Amino acid sequence: MKVDVLLGLQWGDEGKGKVIDVLAPQYESIARFQGGPNAGHTLEFDGIKHVLHIIPSGIFHPAIKNIIGNGVVIDPIILEKEINALIKMGVEVYSNLYVSQKAHLILPSHRLLDKASELAKGKEKIGSTLKGIGPAYMDKTGRNGLRVGDCALASFEQRYRSLLNKHIELLKLYDYDYTSELAEMEKAWMESLQIFKKMKVIDTAYFVNDLLQQNKAVLAEGAQGSLLDIDFGSYPFVTSSNTITAGACTGLGIAPGRINKVIGIFKAYCTRVGSGPFPTELENETGELIRKTGNEFGATTGRARRCGWLDLPALKYACMINGVTDLVMTKSDVLAMFDKIPVCISYNINGVDTVELPYDISVPITPVYQELEGWSADLTGITTQKDMPAQLVSYVKFVENYLGLPVTYVSVGPDRKQMIQCS
Ligand code: GDP
Ligand code: IMO
Ligand code: MG
């Protein structure tokens, strides 16, 4: 059996959590491959909304094995909170959750470094979620990091102190007064490490490959979005991991030839949270209207998301670098109030039209729009393709033709049931 990969094609928050929840019954296992508590994946069913940060989005299905892969960075305080909240709701977590020994730990001092770095950047800040993601991945690639498997070592405490001392020197360079915050977080962090004793801490590369060998279906769950990828995103306004399909190979230990479907999720428009260029951004009442109607506020930080029209050149680029085979369009219901919906079909840069993303998308770009007919109808109760308004069908067709790929589902609301399968 091969692995399907599900990931975001824009700047994150495309609705990955919701779509995984819908597709989950088709899989034996859901495996997160990168990112950490910067992610916020929302699932809604039975009138309740759940936001997951580190735990894979299959956790509400008792038959599914949920895997946190080696590519993920874990803050044990946040993980423990997340587990306890789920247990309180009656979800069986410990028996269905597997964690890689090789996943790196986010230390309290990583969070402080994230904060100090952002403060020092001032107006130029990335707009990080301040969860310590960048500093934790820096220590991973710098070969200084601590891994989940290290917690069991007799030398753990000493290795922790040694890394902390390095961080303290860096915090001094930032002239950041870390003392009270560190003291506050450190005790809780040390205590939270105990959760790994209750969890199945394993070699997830063997585990995933054994599942595949046994013909079991695995879905790799991406976090963030392709335009936030460390190599291919709007650098430096990106996250610190490979959010694209390739990240599923390195973040889980699966060979490229093992990848089957790549399911790319995109919103019918665009959003971005944090700083960085956004060619189709609407810094006006229309953007405000989309934000209000779409409830575009961050699932992790609560920050207002910036909103804009669908950017097809960027989406096509994302499909290319990911090898997308299937598309899912979310939040179609949000655009119901528009008679006409502009979509960006190319960029005009210095008087020249192009459909390719330039090296630096923060240069002045004038998006070239084509106006499509709006559907002016409430989509939230529609569950079958035949009931889709003709204008929505045309919107989907337009995107399919532009990208040369099929849209297999259209999502029309946050709930599990608000999903239209397309043929
Ligand atoms: P993720 O990070 O990709 O999982 O996305 P988030 O959970 O951060 O943000 C997506 C938001 O949109 C969540 O509040 C979802 O409940 C919501 N959502 C998902 N799909 C739809 C949809 O089709 N329509 C509407 N109105 N909301 C949706
Ligand atoms: P999900 O998985 C949207 C953004 C931050 C910031 C940049 C770097 O829910 O789609 P970081 O904390 O990673 O150093 O922040 O990336 N960002 C996200 N934006 N959705 C996410 O995750 C994000 N994770 C990080 O806002 O601009
Ligand atoms: Mg999110």
Side-chain angles (χ1 to χ4, degrees):
M1 188 67 89
K2 291 190 166 186
V3 178
D4 290 344
V5 180
L6 185 146
L7 41 72
L9 297 177
Q10 295 161 322
W11 278 288
D13 303 330
E14 297 88 350
K16 299 176 290 294
K18 184 223 155 134
V19 180
I20 292 174
D21 181 48
V22 172
L23 302 182
Q26 301 172 24
Y27 297 92
E28 310 266 346
S29 173
I30 311 280
R32 257 289 291 275
F33 59 87
Q34 46 67 234
N38 49 350
H41 295 178
T42 315
L43 290 72
E44 268 192 57
F45 51 87
D46 301 337
I48 305 175
K49 176 172 161 176
H50 310 273
V51 182
L52 298 169
H53 301 286
I54 309 178
I55 295 182
S57 300
I59 199 69
F60 295 101
H61 297 263
I64 290 180
K65 296 179 170 61
N66 291 273
I67 301 171
I68 301 176
N70 57 279
V72 177
V73 286
I74 300 176
D75 183 331
I77 297 184
I78 297 178
L79 180 59
E80 184 179 30
K81 267 200 198 129
E82 206 169 324
I83 291 175
N84 288 342
L86 288 169
I87 290 175
K88 216 165 155 189
M89 287 173 48
V91 180
E92 180 44 67
V93 182
Y94 286 114
S95 58
N96 293 335
L97 186 62
Y98 300 78
V99 184
S100 170
Q101 298 161 309
K102 293 180 179 164
H104 278 247
L105 291 171
I106 300 176
L107 274 56
S109 42
H110 284 137
R111 294 187 66 160
L112 296 177
L113 282 167
D114 206 358
K115 201 165 158 191
S117 161
E118 287 283 80
L119 280 174
K121 283 186 170 145
K123 274 200 192 140
E124 305 296 309
K125 71 176 181 187
I126 307 291
S128 147
T129 57
L130 303 178
K131 304 290 177 198
I133 303 293
Y137 278 116
M138 273 167 69
D139 273 332
K140 174 178 176 176
T141 50
R143 296 160 295 180
N144 295 312
L146 292 175
R147 302 188 288 177
V148 170
D150 296 336
C151 297
L153 301 177
S155 58
F156 180 77
E157 179 86 21
Q158 174 245 317
R159 293 183 54 186
Y160 169 81
R161 293 281 153 220
S162 147
L163 186 52
L164 176 62
N165 288 339
K166 278 192 194 132
H167 292 166
I168 287 173
E169 291 310 309
L170 285 170
L171 288 165
K172 284 182 192 157
L173 287 179
Y174 283 119
D175 204 15
Y176 186 81
D177 183 7
Y178 58 88
T179 40
S180 62
E181 279 175 279
L182 181 61
E184 206 178 290
M185 284 194 270
E186 202 172 34
K187 190 168 170 283
W189 189 83
M190 284 293 178
E191 283 169 8
S192 68
L193 292 174
Q194 297 301 320
I195 47 160
F196 294 121
K197 292 193 179 144
K198 296 192 223 165
M199 294 172 78
K200 298 180 203 290
V201 176
I202 58 165
D203 187 320
T204 51
Y206 278 114
F207 190 71
V208 171
N209 281 284
D210 282 348
L211 286 173
L212 297 175
Q213 210 62 43
Q214 294 162 35
N215 243 358
K216 311 261 192 216
V218 176
L219 180 67
E221 172 174 359
Q224 289 79 59
S226 304
L227 303 176
L228 289 171
D229 181 272
I230 184 70
D231 283 284
F232 298 101
S234 48
Y235 192 87
F237 299 100
V238 293
T239 191
S240 295
S241 64
N242 281 118
T243 60
I244 59 168
T245 305
C249 295
T250 58
L252 290 173
I254 49 174
R258 281 287 195 181
I259 308 275
N260 180 35
K261 279 201 255 178
V262 178
I263 306 162
I265 318 298
F266 70 99
K267 281 180 187 168
Y269 49 94
C270 273
T271 63
R272 172 164 206 167
V273 62
S275 329
F278 181 173
T280 61
E281 181 169 13
L282 293 162
E283 291 179 276
N284 55 21
E285 289 148 29
T286 310
E288 195 72 49
L289 187 60
I290 296 177
R291 176 157 47 249
K292 244 176 102 187
T293 315
N295 193 21
E296 293 296 357
F297 296 91
T300 298
T301 57
R303 291 178 294 175
R305 296 177 184 145
R306 300 153 63 195
C307 299
W309 299 124
L310 186 62
D311 182 340
L312 288 173
L315 202 53
K316 190 156 188 154
Y317 170 76
C319 290
M320 175 182 77
I321 57 178
N322 283 302
V324 170
T325 60
D326 300 55
L327 293 161
V328 177
M329 183 169 91
T330 61
K331 306 206 90 157
S332 327
D333 53 303
V334 176
L335 298 182
M337 68 281 204
F338 297 111
D339 292 337
K340 302 272 178 203
I341 307 171
V343 293
C344 171
I345 52 168
S346 62
Y347 301 144
N348 189 282
I349 304 170
N350 284 329
V352 179
D353 269 3
T354 176
V355 289
E356 291 193 2
L357 253 74
Y359 167 68
D360 181 2
I361 63 164
S362 63
V363 297
I365 291 178
T366 310
V368 178
Y369 289 109
Q370 179 160 340
E371 271 195 351
L372 304 183
E373 292 296 319
W375 35 91
S376 307
D378 178 7
L379 304 179
T380 54
I382 299 180
T383 49
T384 56
Q385 196 177 4
K386 67 173 178 27
D387 293 329
M388 276 165 62
Q391 300 90 334
L392 175 63
V393 173
S394 301
Y395 192 89
V396 170
K397 280 259 170 315
F398 189 85
V399 173
E400 288 185 323
N401 287 338
Y402 191 101
L403 302 174
L405 290 166
V407 172
T408 53
Y409 287 93
V410 172
S411 172
V412 291
D415 193 88
R416 193 186 262 181
K417 295 198 184 105
Q418 293 173 304
M419 194 69 142
I420 305 170
Q421 187 163 13
C422 304
S423 52

